[in-house]
Amino acid sequence: AYDKVVIFFNFGQLGSVVGEQTYYWDDLEFVLPPMLDQVDLPITFEDAATVNYDLFDFGEALSVIVTDPTDPSNTVVETLKPNNAATFAGTVAGGDGLASPVPFTEEDKKMSVRVWSPDAGITVRLKIENADNGGIFVETDMQTTVAEEWETLEFDFNNLAGGNLDLSQVYDKVVIFFNFDVTGAGDKTYYWDDVLFLASPPQTEPDLPLTF
């Protein structure tokens, strides 16, 4: 319990040296941190002042929100997979889950992530799971095609690498793995941004006149 307050003016200085001085003080308050919004899709990392991205690493991955090294106006996540990283080293965006579930439907089962990898041909796994029950999940893989460049990877959850997509379940947690199923090799650094759900465009009925 901390239940006593002490204040010091011109701390470290002798009164006999600096001379007699008078100070005034008032309004001593306890300041609560601002309440941040729970992260939700799309995840862009551009509003860290108002959104709690709550990055959570495991398997020795190390992630931090940084300025895009290729674009000073953009904000991204830097993920280091060090030499001692496990094959399953990964990062959760929103440790307590998303504010609303990923809106999977029979027609819409795709997501995308912009990634920057030092190597082409590495596996990036995207896993979507239930925040309260990790046994409810789906995951799928994509390969990077370029080295040291940004590209957008499209993840199709019709083609699963694990789990079973049950549309009656809630999927509200996002996990990403770089160079999945490979141990840390060479302290590789990856960047990622713009985690999106790819919804089909709304269908509109044709109207007269039909001009073709």
Side-chain angles (χ1 to χ4, degrees):
Y2 298 89
D3 54 3
K4 185 176 182 179
V5 176
V6 185
I7 192 168
F8 306 83
F9 291 101
N10 209 359
F11 182 76
Q13 301 295 320
L14 287 172
S16 59
V17 174
V18 299
E20 186 174 296
Q21 297 177 335
T22 300
Y23 304 89
Y24 300 91
W25 56 294
D26 192 9
D27 299 334
L28 180 66
E29 300 179 26
F30 181 74
V31 179
L32 292 170
M35 295 297 293
L36 299 179
D37 295 332
Q38 190 175 0
V39 65
D40 207 358
L41 294 175
I43 303 174
T44 65
F45 304 110
E46 293 301 320
D47 40 13
T50 58
V51 174
N52 181 15
Y53 289 107
D54 195 17
L55 297 178
F56 175 78
D57 294 310
F58 54 90
E60 303 300 331
L62 298 169
S63 298
V64 62
I65 297 175
V66 299
T67 299
D68 182 344
T70 68
D71 180 1
S73 67
N74 191 34
T75 305
V76 301
V77 174
E78 176 187 271
T79 296
L80 171 66
K81 188 169 184 178
N83 282 325
N84 64 334
T87 58
F88 55 84
T91 304
V92 177
D96 292 328
L98 305 176
S100 54
V102 177
F104 288 126
T105 67
E106 288 289 352
E107 294 76 24
D108 296 326
K109 300 176 182 177
K110 295 181 180 180
M111 296 179 66
S112 67
V113 185
R114 286 184 68 234
V115 304
W116 186 102
S117 168
D119 304 301
I122 66 110
T123 297
V124 180
R125 174 163 291 194
L126 188 66
K127 181 179 183 181
I128 311 298
E129 64 181 63
N130 183 287
D132 296 322
N133 183 354
I136 301 171
F137 71 93
V138 287
E139 53 191 8
T140 188
D141 297 335
M142 282 295 297
Q143 303 283 320
T144 58
T145 63
V146 295
E148 299 184 352
E149 293 182 27
W150 282 99
E151 65 177 322
T152 299
L153 299 182
E154 187 173 295
F155 296 87
D156 187 350
F157 289 92
N158 288 297
N159 306 314
L160 295 178
N164 177 43
L165 184 55
D166 179 351
L167 297 180
S168 68
Q169 298 288 352
V170 170
Y171 298 90
D172 57 354
K173 189 173 182 178
V174 176
V175 191
I176 192 167
F177 309 79
F178 287 100
N179 209 5
F180 182 75
D181 210 24
V182 177
T183 56
D187 284 343
K188 298 286 186 175
T189 298
Y190 305 89
Y191 297 92
W192 50 290
D193 193 13
D194 299 335
V195 182
L196 309 178
F197 179 75
L198 303 179
S200 300
Q203 299 296 313
T204 58
E205 293 295 329
D207 199 2
L208 294 176
L210 300 177
T211 62
F212 304 108

